[in-house]
Amino acid sequence: MTEAPVQITSSRNGTETRHVRVAILGAGFGGLGAAIRLERDLGERDVVIFERHSEVGGTWWANSYPGAQCDIPSHLYSLSFAPNPNWTRTFPLQPELAEYMRDIAHRFGLHDRIRFNTTVEELRWDDERSIWHVKTDRGDWTADMVIAAPGPLSEPRWPEIPGLDKFKGRLIHTAEWDHSVDLRGKRVAVIGTGASAIQVVPAIAPTVAKLSVFQRTPPWIVPHTDRPITALERFLYRRFPILQRIPRAWVYITRELLVPGLVYRPNMLRVLERISKRHMERQIRDPELRRKVTPNYRLGCKRILPTNKWYPALQRDNVELVTDSITEIRPEGVVTADGRVHELDVIVAATGFHVTDIPLAHHIYGRGGRNLGREWEGSPQAYRGTTIAGYPNLFWLVGPNTGLGHNSIVFMIEAQLNYIIDALRRIGRNRTIEVREDVQRRFNERIQAKMPKTVWTTGGCASWYIDAKGRNTTIWPGFTFSYWWLMRRFDPESYTIAPVRPPARVAEPAAA
Ligand code: N01
């Protein structure tokens, strides 16, 4: 494939419609990785990346709440072809991770292809011309191919609590932190005790006057092994890059050791439960608090949370763990089931994301005008988590059943990129591909057949891994290397591959 400037394909009401070979949605790990691989492997630079934020990084740009840190080690939580020998911690803090992603965009010269502050409002497949119409809030585009990399954790979920909109103080979601709000001396609530809450609570507790933590379900907490990476280690990784492959491989292998317990024999996870309980007993003396923070479901059913700071934070004099359920929110604060009114200045919602009810899907129209949101109805289906019957020339990164609870999602993204690059290489230009409906159905049947034994089904918890129809359409139920193996090559026999319909696109001369 050759480098091509952006073409102007038509002009409507004075606005240009520009055409590209590949339109990418999102400049997080998926979108950046896709643009790099398209250029590196196929020489393809006729690409545009739409990013609704003003910077690259996706979820790692958006989630800038105090204490935000990746809970997967840095040596593995990075693109294999863009190692970073300069990580300062074994688990990167959000600013360092965001910096790494900015650095990638610079290193691979991606900025000329990124349209910042641009939201994709609609994707519509054109049956006649075999192209995608990409409507953004900054103009219209068309593309032969679309790679959707919106990220599963990009749409903040607010708690559905009556009166939330009546609260007269400040409301903040962890995924949209408002850095202009000064928490010093304020009465603050954190709703939720998931991965975000266990990081933000210890970070803000020393600053605020009073912190009320509203817990609906206690999480399983395990000891954190985070430590600074020494200057010597960094020097060695810079000097001998191969050395960094050792901790990367080690982290990968040790994390995969969790899969037998998560997927096949949840009883095996008792070992980790004992470690978690010992951690709690070491850090908490008060039997009443121990009772409140002890989960009553199997470890692994929800995300396992590493931290040494959560339990100590809960025992600070200015912190209260509230386990009575929230009944309503009034202008002055939160009311709990015991009738108590918790007066507040700020409420922090650490209540997660819309994961399976993907808002973007409602804006995607495929063959014959079918709508992806209506078809999925909150229960997404795809083939190998990547292509979708009825939506030709569309690839989805971190699609259904490619999420992980135990290992680096970047590994899964790279497996998907192998598949997409191979697909584009094989089909070439002027052909469309669409996964066969029967192939997609059988694939999902096989995935779902694995679910009944997994900890996400048997573990006795409610989690966002389970969708509106009661199916786990979030997590990959197996070893990640089996997914990598599956995705190493494109499988044309699973697809309908057709020539682009004539008449071919006619390029009009640019007006300007
Ligand atoms: O969100 P969550 P998160 N009233 O959905 C509670 C990734 N992540 O932002 O458990 C009261 O896990 C809800 O309670 P319950 C990671 O994949 C990664 O923390 O449903 N409480 C729960 O406690 C993670 O899994 C890192 O009963 C309400 C919490 O809110 C994902 O993001 C760091 C409520 C939501 O927890 C999401 O994590 C941070 C209500 N009405 C996040 N509604 C890394 O380090 C919800 N809750 C990589």
Side-chain angles (χ1 to χ4, degrees), residues 376-397:
W376 276 355
E377 288 180 308
S379 182
Q381 306 279 303
Y383 174 58
R384 300 185 176 184
T386 309
T387 49
I388 306 160
Y391 299 81
N393 290 8
L394 170 68
F395 299 96
W396 199 292
L397 290 176

Side-chain angles (χ1 to χ4, degrees), residues 65 69-71 153 192-196 216-217 302-303 350 352 464:
Y65 58 83
Q69 184 178 26
C70 183
D71 60 11
L153 306 174
T193 51
S196 302
R216 192 161 67 179
T217 315
K302 287 170 178 280
R303 196 176 179 91
W464 55 259

